[in-house]
Amino acid sequence: MRLLVFDDDPMIVQLVADVAGQSGWSVETATREAEFRTRFAAGSPDAIMLDLQLGASDGIQQLQFLHRHGYTGVVALMSGFDTRVLAAAQQVGQSLGIRIAAVMEKPARVARIRAVLREIETVAAMLPDPPPTAPPAARTRDEAITPALIAAALGGGEMELHFQPIVAAGGRSVCGVEGLIRWHRHGGLVRPDAFIPIAEQDEAVIDQLTRWAVTSGVDCYRRLAALGLAVPIWINISGMNLHSLDFPDEVAALLERAGVPSDAIGLEVTESVAMRDLGAAAVILTRLRLKGFALAIDDFGTGHASLEALRQMPFSSIKINKSFVDHLQSSPDAHAIIKSIVDLAGSLGLTSVAEGVDSAETARLLTELGVACLQGYYFSHPLPFDRLTEC
Ligand code: C2E
Ligand code: CA
């Protein structure tokens, strides 16, 4: 049986190749994407062991490559990331119709590599039908004139990002800042709820808006860093952005050009959006996570997320919906729901964040419940950059 091993770390490649060779496999190796694709094209291997982090590229791109080439062999995934990232990547692979026989956390000992090779052999011997390919993401398109007005406002400098601090529940130090878009129009401020849904009617416009928001967030990060106050800036992204396969590369390139690390920017996705098209969202979100971006599931508790879906998605934070926080003092139900979300976040290794905290008593109760981070008018309203640094 032919095995192709692809990892950008030559030492791992050598170790896996040695162990597989001893187990009777005929092994080929690659440490760069071009090499991997050439070896693959030269003769489809029976099995592939694929690392998820590959320097300039990533394992999800290679799974998509294998999908495009109708690969019917067996794949084992390797990663130094935590098990949830591996599980998310496994889910993406399966939704593309790729047979994922095993996942292997790195660093791996020889015994574990042998066990993974045995799992590959077992799956290869059974040759089950691959799972059906996920349907393409649904797209909505509306050529209404109003998105054009938003595009013009973005180009014309009418938009501004305001910033709201997120504080650690324990010490109250600022541990992040959320960017919230504002539209200065006819001498007044237009709130995002009034125009984001309209921008979303046109994919190009919502893409332009998100790029603008990320760029403004990066600028805020650099200015804070220059003052010795660097904290991650959280940017809201739209569900429409999760339809674009290039989105992770575009965001990463934008940060690279600005010379800021990917942990400078976190991305918030509303729960309902993330759950709407699990397959498509998982591809984009997993690639973003592999590129080093933190991801938050926003407005959690209202979008009917299945727990299984939450387990498969590579989020790093859960933002508890404001509606529960609003009723915390008056409703035992809201109290119980927040408590279970905090427990859920704890057991999944996610950071819990409460939004809409508007009083000292609410902040105290949330801290008592174990919520990690707090955000709301009690600490600060969203502010223009210059006023943010005055706080
Ligand atoms: P969100 O992400 O859930 O943002 C939280 C909203 O709650 C913000 O409203 C914020 O100003 C408000 N808020 C914060 N603390 C409190 C509080 O203590 N009490 C009350 N009553 N409200 C509080 P905002 O700025 O109007 O944003 C509304 C929504 O618009 C956001 O909800 C987000 O989903 C969306 N949005 C904002 N900026 C962007 C953006 O740049 N891109 C995209 N795609 N969506 C954005
Ligand atoms: Ca948000």
Side-chain angles (χ1 to χ4, degrees):
M1 295 247 284
R2 289 184 53 239
L3 175 71
L4 177 54
V5 185
F6 180 19
D7 192 314
D8 62 339
D9 181 340
M11 288 186 33
I12 304 272
V13 165
Q14 195 54 53
L15 176 65
V16 174
D18 287 349
V19 177
Q22 288 157 13
S23 307
W25 286 81
S26 150
V27 188
E28 284 178 273
T29 61
T31 53
R32 284 174 295 112
E33 185 181 63
E35 204 181 354
F36 170 69
R37 295 190 175 190
T38 309
R39 297 223 190 290
F40 178 84
S44 192
D46 299 298
I48 296 172
M49 285 188 71
L50 178 65
D51 186 29
L52 288 181
Q53 262 190 309
L54 297 162
S57 76
D58 60 59
I60 301 295
Q61 286 174 308
Q62 308 317 321
L63 289 174
Q64 288 169 326
F65 165 82
L66 294 174
H67 166 67
R68 283 198 301 278
H69 287 76
Y71 182 59
T72 54
V74 181
V75 173
L77 299 174
M78 312 182 273
S79 175
F81 265 87
D82 59 60
T83 46
R84 286 192 324 105
V85 175
L86 265 168
Q90 181 173 21
Q91 179 66 26
V92 168
Q94 283 166 350
S95 70
L96 290 170
I98 307 280
R99 285 189 194 91
I100 310 286
V103 294
M104 183 175 90
E105 274 183 84
K106 293 197 303 186
R109 290 172 192 275
V110 169
R112 177 67 189 133
I113 299 170
R114 284 210 182 99
V116 166
L117 289 167
R118 279 197 298 274
E119 287 172 57
I120 292 175
E121 284 164 9
T122 309
V123 172
M126 291 191 310
L127 283 179
D129 285 339
T133 302
R139 281 163 194 260
T140 52
R141 199 159 187 102
D142 185 334
E143 300 301 333
I145 222 156
T146 331
L149 199 68
I150 297 168
L154 280 163
E158 290 175 31
M159 300 286 185
E160 186 185 12
L161 212 55
H162 280 194
F163 300 97
Q164 187 174 37
I166 303 168
V167 303
R172 302 288 160 93
S173 58
V174 175
C175 52
V177 168
E178 179 175 359
L180 294 154
I181 196 169
R182 298 291 181 264
W183 184 357
H184 297 274
R185 189 153 193 257
H186 304 316
L189 269 188
V190 187
R191 296 290 288 258
D193 285 337
F195 66 89
I196 295 283
I198 297 166
E200 284 175 334
Q201 291 170 4
D202 188 322
E203 208 177 317
V205 173
I206 192 65
D207 279 352
Q208 182 189 352
L209 189 145
T210 302
R211 271 200 307 277
W212 173 88
V214 173
T215 306
S216 307
V218 165
D219 186 49
C220 170
Y221 176 86
R222 292 177 68 180
R223 291 165 76 187
L224 286 177
L227 297 169
L229 303 169
V231 286
I233 312 297
W234 291 88
I235 299 295
N236 294 278
I237 62 171
S238 159
M240 296 295 286
N241 300 131
L242 300 180
H243 292 166
S244 161
L245 281 178
D246 297 336
F247 182 67
D249 305 286
E250 280 174 17
V251 180
L254 212 150
L255 266 73
E256 203 175 314
R257 278 198 298 277
V260 303
S262 51
D263 57 10
I265 297 291
L267 301 168
E268 300 192 4
V269 193
T270 27
E271 180 189 355
S272 51
V273 158
M275 299 303 148
R276 200 174 300 150
D277 184 347
L278 271 181
V283 169
I284 307 291
L285 294 175
T286 305
R287 290 200 59 222
L288 285 165
R289 192 81 175 85
L290 288 169
K291 288 183 183 300
F293 294 99
L295 299 175
I297 183 160
D298 209 355
D299 299 331
F300 187 77
T302 55
H304 315 292
S306 83
L307 297 182
E308 176 61 7
L310 187 62
R311 191 182 69 79
Q312 286 170 11
M313 293 286 196
F315 289 109
S316 35
S317 309
I318 289 187
K319 295 193 81 170
I320 303 166
N321 192 264
K322 197 170 101 35
S323 60
F324 303 123
V325 176
D326 285 344
H327 296 105
L328 176 60
Q329 291 187 52
S330 56
S331 155
D333 285 353
H335 188 279
I337 288 170
I338 293 177
K339 186 170 181 329
S340 45
I341 295 176
V342 171
D343 289 347
L344 178 68
S347 24
L348 293 178
L350 307 175
T351 304
S352 53
V353 183
E355 38 186 20
V357 184
D358 57 9
S359 73
E361 180 58 7
T362 303
R364 190 188 67 74
L365 288 170
L366 289 164
T367 307
E368 208 173 84
L369 279 168
V371 177
C373 300
L374 310 174
Q375 178 184 0
Y377 293 170
Y378 173 62
F379 300 102
S380 170
H381 280 252
L383 299 169
F385 182 84
D386 292 339
R387 290 199 41 218
L388 174 75
T389 49
E390 285 166 14
C391 309

